[in-house]
């Protein structure tokens, strides 16, 4: 399946994308709409919107706490769709969802992806739905024009080619072991991983987990097709609450410039 | 459909970072379960260290008092470390060692599995870290100190409801952070494949022994086997070798908490719905948007919002039935067994005893019921005293 909306995100002058993640409903729906629009205005090529889950096992403390704040604030899956609807009134920025298997399964795959299609959400990232399990969901997502984004980890080794060959939209390369969160250093041999990916597909591959500074973003975009930043953005929301928008703008702009300058 | 399915349940819903490790674990298990040397070493540990076989004890006073089926207690409480958890832990620890791992991590609710894991780690010279909800470290403070005495580091988990599910979350996070030298010694028949299979196989020693013991004692199979169910490891172990014996009723007792009509319950089959969590498709207590519910039980070991996938399947096909037992019923059964037979059961196991108290009279004296006493109740004495409003002094 070719996904034109995602392809557009990587179709920048240097073919590198800056991808921003933000937890929906943190701290409330109004702030989320404002923050997403501001991140888009600052130049993010694609925005991942996190649908909060009570038990986000792939997340570090920063995004765990954002999930808790959002759920305490009363956000629901329908509330997240409403946030996206309001964003879509003002922006056609490429969007993906990131969440866990259960909220999507429980909502009903067909019902969920029908909404995604209506709101022009191009992809979905589900860390607890690996290659072996995606079959129950992917055909339904694809029928609604939504790509199921494949993840490749430092431990994927012999699995890389099999996953990459079937990948859709873009490939999410996990930079480090463990959970999401800001890291001082990324020591994984990403060149080798990207090399294996390139042998089997030209689907763009972006690197996430642990990236927070413009230098790191430039370095990661240098060895791949893009950099994904989550915890550093969520940390700004945690710090400034409902007043986060201008700070997000400034930060995303600096990150986008770093990636654009590669 | 992927591996490790029990009907529609099970599977491997886990992060890509852990997939190769799960594949390696399955391969290692399939190899060593057929290895005579591995099995001999495990059997030796089970017999000479853990104290197996465990007794099948005829509870004569209880039988007379209840008036009906003959009641037999499968005494897993007499195992070293005081519960059935050691059966699985010794198996997994030996397997991990064969895989070249030097460190064990585990979640624990009541602390029984944490103590068993810390024990095996001490015995086999492995490093050990236990994840335990902060709420549970308070409810089960004695077990925290036991684990520390055994050389383990205990991490109090402060996220979410600060109970068993949050301990599993953090143990999974830690495993994905450090998988190279670390084995996650999962304590129940849950999580992604191959864990439900491995834990069930190691726990099936309970029903293997019990089946032989009851045939020896009664000359025929029991009418029913009763066990408590959180994730479901002692129940799966107690049921497994009776599954093909279609006339043997299999009854799992869930934690009803303050009642299945209240939100303060952990009875998954009674109140849960189909979902995907902690690596498996199964039944979970959750809200209308699939957010996992903050469950409750007086028993830290049953205070879990899900149930193992094989139990979910046995429920679906009607082979086993699952019934809720309230806190109050469990506490009464705890006191009853203590007074009547001089056996203080774990509050978890007391849920199974409570069901036997309810149903024994429905059977005739030539029938028998086996109830799995999965653990001993020393750890619960302070909590029961609190429940009864008794002020214990040091």
């Amino acid at each position: 399946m070719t996904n034109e909306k995602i392809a557009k995100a990587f179709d920048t002058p240097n073919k590198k994308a800056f991808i921003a993640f933000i937890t929906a409903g943190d701290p409330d729906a109004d702030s989320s709409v404002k923050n997403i629009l501001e991140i888009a205005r600052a130049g993010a090529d694609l925005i991942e919107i996190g649908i909060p889950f009570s038990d986000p096992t792939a997340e570090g403390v920063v995004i765990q706490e954002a999930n808790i704040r959002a759920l305490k604030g009363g956000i629901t899956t329908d509330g997240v769709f409403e946030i996206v609807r309001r964003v879509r009134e003002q922006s056609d920025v490429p969007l993906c969802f990131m969440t866990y298997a259960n909220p999507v399964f429980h909502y009903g795959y067909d019902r969920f992806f029908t909404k995604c299609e209506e709101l022009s959400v191009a992809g979905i990232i589900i860390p607890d739905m690996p290659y072996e399990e995606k079959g129950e969901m992917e055909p339904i997502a694809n029928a609604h024009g939504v790509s199921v984004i494949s993840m490749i980890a430092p431990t994927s080794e012999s699995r890389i080619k099999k996953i990459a060959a079937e990948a859709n939209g873009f490939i999410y390369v996990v930079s480090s072991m463990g959970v999401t969160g800001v890291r001082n250093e990324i020591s994984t041999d990403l060149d080798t991983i990207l090399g294996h990916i390139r042998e089997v597909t030209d689907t763009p591959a972006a690197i996430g987990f642990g990236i927070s500074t413009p230098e790191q973003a430039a370095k990661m975009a240098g060895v791949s097709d893009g950099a994904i930043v989550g915890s550093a953005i969520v940390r700004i929301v945690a710090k400034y609450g409902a007043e986060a928008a201008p700070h997000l703008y400034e930060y995303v702009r600096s990150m986008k410039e770093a990636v654009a300058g590669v | 459909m992927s591996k490790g399915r029990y009907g529609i349940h099970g599977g491997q819903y886990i992060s890509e970072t852990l997939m190769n490790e799960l594949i390696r674990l399955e391969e290692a298990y399939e190899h060593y379960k057929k290895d005579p040397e591995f099995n001999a070493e495990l059997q030796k540990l089970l017999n000479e260290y853990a104290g197996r076989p465990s007794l099948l004890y005829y509870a004569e006073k209880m039988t007379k008092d209840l008036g009906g089926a003959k009641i037999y207690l499968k005494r897993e409480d007499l195992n070293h470390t005081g519960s059935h958890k050691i059966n699985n832990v010794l198996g997994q620890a030996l397997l991990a060692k064969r895989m070249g791992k030097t460190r064990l991590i585990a979640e624990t609710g009541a602390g029984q599995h944490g103590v068993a894991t810390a024990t095996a780690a001490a015995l086999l010279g492995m490093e050990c870290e236990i994840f335990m909800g902060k709420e549970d470290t308070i409810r089960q403070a004695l077990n925290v100190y036991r684990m520390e005495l055994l050389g383990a580091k205990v991490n109090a988990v402060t996220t979410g409801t600060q109970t068993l599910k949050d301990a599993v979350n953090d143990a999974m996070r830690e495993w994905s952070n450090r998988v190279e030298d670390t084995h996650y010694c999962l304590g129940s028949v849950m999580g992604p494949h191959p864990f439900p299979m491995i834990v069930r196989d190691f726990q099936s020693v309970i029903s293997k022994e019990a089946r032989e013991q009851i045939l020896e004692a009664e000359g025929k199979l029991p009418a029913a086997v009763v066990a408590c169910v959180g994730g479901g490891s002692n129940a799966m172990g107690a049921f497994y070798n009776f599954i093909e014996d279609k006339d043997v009723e299999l009854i799992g007792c869930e934690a009803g908490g303050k009642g299945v009509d209240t939100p303060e319950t952990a009875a998954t089959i009674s109140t849960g719905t189909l979902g995907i969590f902690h690596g498996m498709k199964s039944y979970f207590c959750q809200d209308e948007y699939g957010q996992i519910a903050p469950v409750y039980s007086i028993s830290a070991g049953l205070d879990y919002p899900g149930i193992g996938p094989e139990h979910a399947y046995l429920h679906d096909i009607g082979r086993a039935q699952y019934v809720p037992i309230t806190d109050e019923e469990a506490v009464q059964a705890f006191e009853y067994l203590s007074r009547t037979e001089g056996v203080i059961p774990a509050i978890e196991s007391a849920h199974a005893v409570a069901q036997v108290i309810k149903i024994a009279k429905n059977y005739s004296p030539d029938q028998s019921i086996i109830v799995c006493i999965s653990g001993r109740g020393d750890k619960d004495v302070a909590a029961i005293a609190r429940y009864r409003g008794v002020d214990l002094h040091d």
Side-chain angles (χ1 to χ4, degrees), chain B residues 136 139-140 255-258 264 266 296-303 325-328 330-331 347-348 351 379-380 383-384 386-388:
Chain B
D136 292 336
R139 286 198 279 193
Q140 301 288 352
K258 294 182 178 168
E264 290 180 276
Y296 163 83
S297 163
I298 189 171
S299 147
L302 304 183
D303 196 354
I325 298 293
T326 63
D327 283 0
E328 178 59 28
V331 170
I347 188 64
E348 289 77 20
H351 286 70
K379 67 179 177 59
D380 299 307
I384 302 299
R386 270 200 302 277
Y387 182 86
R388 288 300 188 207

Side-chain angles (χ1 to χ4, degrees), chain B residues 77-213:
Chain B
D77 59 314
L78 295 178
N79 296 339
H80 180 43
T81 73
S83 83
H84 71 292
K85 293 292 187 189
I86 195 83
N87 305 331
N88 164 48
V89 162
L90 287 173
Q92 281 199 49
L94 277 187
L95 183 63
K97 216 159 174 176
R98 291 284 204 287
M99 291 176 74
K101 306 289 180 183
T102 56
R103 178 170 175 260
L104 295 177
I105 57 170
E107 84 294 345
T108 197
Q112 300 293 70
H113 177 58
V115 167
T117 306
T119 299
L123 178 70
L124 299 175
M126 300 172 88
E127 204 186 320
C128 182
E129 241 176 88
I130 303 297
F131 293 83
M132 188 171 187
K134 184 150 184 273
E135 179 75 18
D136 292 336
T137 63
I138 296 162
R139 286 198 279 193
Q140 301 288 352
L142 195 63
N143 269 341
V144 174
Y145 193 67
R146 281 171 84 193
M147 289 183 265
E148 287 168 353
L149 276 177
L150 293 160
K153 182 179 173 217
V154 180
N155 298 295
V157 177
T158 56
T159 54
T161 50
Q162 310 191 359
T163 59
L164 183 52
K165 92 172 156 76
D166 309 285
V168 174
N169 290 347
D170 266 20
M172 280 184 174
R173 289 178 183 123
E174 174 58 19
W175 201 29
S176 70
N177 192 42
R178 189 171 156 188
V179 78
E180 183 77 21
D181 67 346
T182 299
H183 175 68
Y184 178 12
C185 187
L186 229 160
S188 195
V189 287
M190 48 155 289
H193 176 72
F195 283 110
M197 170 182 77
I198 290 178
V199 179
R200 175 252 278 155
D201 287 356
F202 286 139
Q203 290 296 359
S204 66
V205 66
I206 300 173
S207 52
K208 182 171 175 284
E209 288 174 5
R211 199 173 182 285
E212 289 166 8
Q213 289 165 323

Side-chain angles (χ1 to χ4, degrees), chain A residues 170-229:
Chain A
F170 75 96
I171 295 168
Y172 192 128
V173 178
V174 176
S175 76
S176 313
M177 296 296 289
V179 292
T180 57
V182 172
R183 286 169 174 80
N184 291 328
E185 209 176 318
I186 292 166
S187 55
T188 304
D189 180 5
L190 293 161
D191 284 334
T192 303
I193 293 176
L194 267 298
H196 289 314
I197 293 171
R198 286 292 156 259
E199 283 176 43
V200 294
T201 183
D202 51 12
T203 300
I207 301 174
F209 277 42
I211 304 170
S212 65
T213 66
E215 294 73 29
Q216 285 174 319
K219 198 172 158 200
M220 292 300 121
V223 298
S224 69
D225 304 306
I228 307 166
V229 173

Side-chain angles (χ1 to χ4, degrees), chain A residues 55 78 133 136 155-156, chain B residues 2 5 12-13 16 165 289:
Chain A
D55 298 81
D78 284 317
E133 302 294 355
E136 70 180 63
T155 49
S156 293
Chain B
S2 65
R5 291 284 172 170
Q12 294 182 296
Y13 299 88
E16 172 59 24
K165 92 172 156 76
Y289 287 103

